[in-house]
Amino acid sequence: MSVEKKPIDWANLSFGYLPTDWRYVSVYKHGAWDDGGLTDDPNVVMSECAGALQYAQTCFEGLKVYTTVDDRIVAFRPDLNAQRMYETAKRLVMPPFPVDRFLSALDEVVTANKAFVPPYGSGASLYIRPYMYGSGAIIGVAPAPEYTFRIFTTPVGPYFKGGVKPLRLLVSEYDRAAPNGTGHIKAGLNYAMSLYAGLEAKKQGFDENMYLDSQTRTYIEETGGANFIFVTKDGKVVTPKSPTILPSITRRSLISVAREYLGLEVEERKIELSELPEFVEGGLCGTAAVISPIGSVTTRDGEVFLPSGMKEMGPITKKLYDTLTGIQYGTIEAPKGWIRTIV
Ligand SMILES: *Cc1c(COP(=O)(O)O)cnc(C)c1O
């Protein structure tokens, strides 16, 4: 495959928005999605009374497309993003965008922007942002009469550019999401709710918040945009089970990798904050970083340092990271159906 790439300094890209040539758009009107297609217009025009603007009827997804060791352009488990967005849309009373159409739209927009897909070895990737919103006007509180589904893409740099830096977390006094059961949907409303708490934590010198369940403030939930995994002293991987955290695709994949590739025991269960001192490693998992190690967590009683330290990933975290990224880049054989070859 020989594609003329754009003149971009891939290794020095940050996680920022750099518009590419094409984006995908489809509109839902009179009870049906239209055929959809590509547009070169990066701007969205809609009614001042759009459901998205007035009542936050909007949701999104995030995934990465990258070049493998054998020079294919691939996406990692995009069917799960399509499925998750389908579920999120239903919860927000938006017409779900069909999974097969999501996947063909992804193929179409990535193929059109293939000159923006970073080369293998750069550590960079093409970030894919599917999103959907109520674009029709509505003033009485009700679902909008019209919807728009779009996908834009933007090249992003390697996550651990300055090396791995374990995170200092703060147990937040705030709830991570609107406390009405919307924590399991991927939607801007939850992110808007976490901005204030995020800034408060940063002002105090922390990297991220650790949110607890809002009802009892006993159990570990997640951060604003990533799930947790921990490793116990006897080498078991544990990860919170809760109906109010977003089902991370990275986390689900790491659980499989831990079990099937590394032969580790995995427990998905409620995790009490008071269990923290039992853990030897911890990490945040999500599409952006795969796993970002945790150095310490500050609770009301003080700072708990994980034995894996503030310098590098713990040994099991590192194995999970190396195996999953190996699967993604094609140096380790992937489970069936995990990699979608686009070009
Ligand atoms: C997107 C997201 C995650 C991570 O999910 P991935 O599918 O692994 O990227 C975790 N928590 C929240 C709240 C999210 O929005």
Side-chain angles (χ1 to χ4, degrees):
M1 182 198 66
S2 116
V3 176
E4 203 56 59
K5 294 289 179 189
K6 298 281 176 179
I8 293 172
D9 181 6
W10 307 108
N12 289 308
L13 277 173
S14 60
F15 191 81
Y17 171 60
L18 183 80
T20 60
D21 291 342
W22 297 100
R23 56 280 300 143
Y24 180 89
V25 55
S26 180
V27 174
Y28 183 93
K29 232 189 263 192
H30 310 305
W33 288 103
D34 69 11
D35 290 341
L38 298 176
T39 171
D40 60 2
D41 189 354
N43 296 303
V44 166
V45 175
M46 65 182 133
S47 165
E48 62 188 352
C49 199
L53 297 175
Q54 302 308 328
Y55 302 123
Q57 219 187 354
T58 168
C59 67
F60 68 95
E61 270 300 330
L63 64 152
K64 279 178 176 175
V65 159
Y66 47 91
T67 308
T68 58
V69 67
D70 57 346
D71 219 19
R72 286 172 298 138
I73 292 175
V74 304
F76 181 71
R77 309 188 79 180
D79 51 316
L80 298 186
N81 295 97
Q83 191 60 48
R84 189 168 64 186
M85 192 178 206
Y86 195 96
E87 297 303 324
T88 295
K90 284 200 292 190
R91 179 65 177 80
L92 294 175
V93 203
M94 299 200 268
F97 197 66
V99 168
D100 59 330
R101 285 214 43 201
F102 180 110
L103 294 173
S104 53
L106 171 70
D107 291 350
E108 198 176 337
V109 76
V110 169
T111 303
N113 289 308
K114 65 187 172 192
F116 289 92
V117 181
Y120 176 76
S122 65
S125 56
L126 187 68
Y127 183 73
I128 312 294
R129 173 53 63 93
Y131 58 113
M132 190 200 287
Y133 52 95
S135 42
I138 190 83
I139 191 71
V141 179
E146 255 180 58
Y147 295 84
T148 303
F149 169 88
R150 293 179 69 111
I151 305 178
F152 76 76
T153 69
T154 186
V156 295
Y159 190 83
F160 296 114
K161 219 181 330 188
V164 174
K165 276 196 253 24
L167 306 172
R168 282 186 74 214
L169 305 187
L170 172 67
V171 174
S172 184
E173 297 294 328
Y174 298 93
D175 291 327
R176 67 157 284 265
N180 57 357
T182 53
H184 62 295
I185 64 174
K186 199 167 182 81
L189 68 96
N190 287 331
Y191 280 76
M193 291 296 289
S194 73
L195 291 177
Y196 188 85
L199 287 181
E200 289 286 297
K202 294 221 164 81
K203 255 194 265 172
Q204 295 175 57
F206 296 98
D207 300 300
E208 282 281 356
N209 278 309
M210 169 181 275
Y211 292 105
L212 303 179
D213 77 290
S214 59
Q215 284 198 321
T216 70
R217 297 193 56 78
T218 305
Y219 301 104
I220 294 172
E221 291 256 289
E222 61 172 329
T223 65
N227 284 182
F228 287 117
I229 54 160
F230 298 98
V231 179
T232 63
K233 291 179 180 128
D234 50 357
K236 209 183 286 171
V237 175
V238 291
T239 178
K241 188 183 180 81
S242 158
T244 51
I245 65 179
L246 201 273
S248 156
I249 293 162
T250 312
R251 174 172 79 156
R252 285 181 265 167
S253 304
L254 288 169
I255 290 175
S256 302
V257 164
R259 286 191 178 126
E260 317 299 332
Y261 285 71
L262 304 178
L264 299 170
E265 203 178 316
V266 180
E267 272 178 7
E268 220 181 324
R269 60 169 171 82
K270 288 183 159 191
I271 300 176
E272 288 189 25
L273 180 63
S274 61
E275 289 181 60
L276 267 183
E278 309 289 313
F279 300 138
V280 291
E281 300 176 37
L284 304 189
C285 48
T287 293
V290 178
I291 309 181
S292 204
I294 300 167
S296 78
V297 183
T298 297
T299 72
R300 284 178 185 172
D301 301 327
E303 189 165 12
V304 179
F305 286 90
L306 294 184
S308 50
M310 296 299 295
K311 292 232 164 60
E312 55 198 11
M313 285 189 187
I316 291 189
T317 307
K318 180 89 168 63
K319 265 192 210 162
L320 286 167
Y321 178 85
D322 288 345
T323 309
L324 186 56
T325 51
I327 288 170
Q328 291 177 328
Y329 284 104
T331 58
I332 295 174
E333 195 181 339
K336 209 166 176 308
W338 276 25
I339 306 291
R340 183 180 182 88
T341 300
I342 297 172
V343 179

